[in-house]
Amino acid sequence: MTNSNVVPQPEILDSQQCWSLLRQTSIGRLAFTFEGRPDVLPVNYKVDQEAIFFRTGDGTKFSALEGDAYVALEADAVSAEFGTAWSVVVKGRAVLANSTNASLDTVSRTLFPWQGVDKQHLIHIVPETVTGRRYTLTAPMSWRISLDDAIRAGLE
């Protein structure tokens, strides 16, 4: 049973709004396929114009990204103060970037991986689609539903 008074309606964001929001944070989740299975790992990224860059070292992520792999990067934020939340997804190809380009060198120097070392590969996500939504949060009390309307599988 769905109560339309409880479910907030998302605002569909245009491309310009999505890129603006992506610039406001630097942490996202990278989805990719490795050995035929999906995986999701956190990355810290930087937006340059309408492209996303992140660093990685040798390992699972780098192996999965070789050969212009398709990826998705999702970033989001919640503001209890303003009562909003947003989520943006960028889908495209991940390619090894050539950091000899002056602007890429600047981007590369501003990326500080969490581990700080062994992140010698600069990866560029070449976006094919950028989609996003913004939500107005409802008061937490309105999220409550009676047990009769709840999915009981987790409780039994």
Side-chain angles (χ1 to χ4, degrees):
M1 180 172 150
T2 302
N3 181 344
S4 63
N5 293 331
V6 175
V7 179
Q9 295 300 308
E11 171 192 356
I12 306 300
L13 303 173
D14 65 29
S15 179
Q16 184 177 2
Q17 292 170 307
C18 290
W19 286 109
S20 176
L21 290 169
L22 286 167
R23 286 181 182 90
Q24 292 177 25
T25 188
S26 62
I27 298 172
R29 285 156 296 286
L30 182 73
F32 56 92
T33 303
F34 183 65
E35 296 180 346
R37 296 180 177 260
D39 207 346
V40 178
L41 294 173
V43 294
N44 58 324
Y45 67 88
K46 186 79 171 176
V47 174
D48 184 44
Q49 297 179 17
E50 290 189 354
I52 293 178
F53 294 88
F54 65 92
R55 291 194 154 284
T56 191
D58 293 329
T60 302
K61 195 182 322 173
F62 185 67
S63 295
L65 301 180
E66 290 181 313
D68 298 339
Y70 279 107
V71 298
L73 180 123
E74 189 269 345
D76 54 36
V78 176
S79 172
E81 179 182 355
F82 296 107
T84 61
W86 60 265
S87 175
V88 172
V89 176
V90 177
K91 294 178 185 175
R93 289 204 175 265
V95 298
L96 187 60
N98 180 353
S99 63
T100 58
N101 178 314
S103 73
L104 289 185
D105 188 44
T106 301
V107 168
S108 178
R109 284 184 282 141
T110 61
L111 277 168
F112 299 102
W114 292 338
Q115 295 173 320
V117 295
D118 294 332
K119 303 293 183 182
Q120 66 274 22
H121 305 292
L122 181 64
I123 305 296
H124 172 201
I125 298 177
V126 180
E128 293 180 5
T129 63
V130 180
T131 59
R133 293 193 166 120
R134 184 177 358 247
Y135 304 89
T136 300
L137 303 177
T138 59
M141 292 302 292
S142 68
W143 295 348
R144 291 188 174 187
I145 57 175
S146 70
L147 191 54
D148 292 336
D149 292 338
I151 297 173
R152 298 181 56 94
L155 302 174
E156 297 175 351

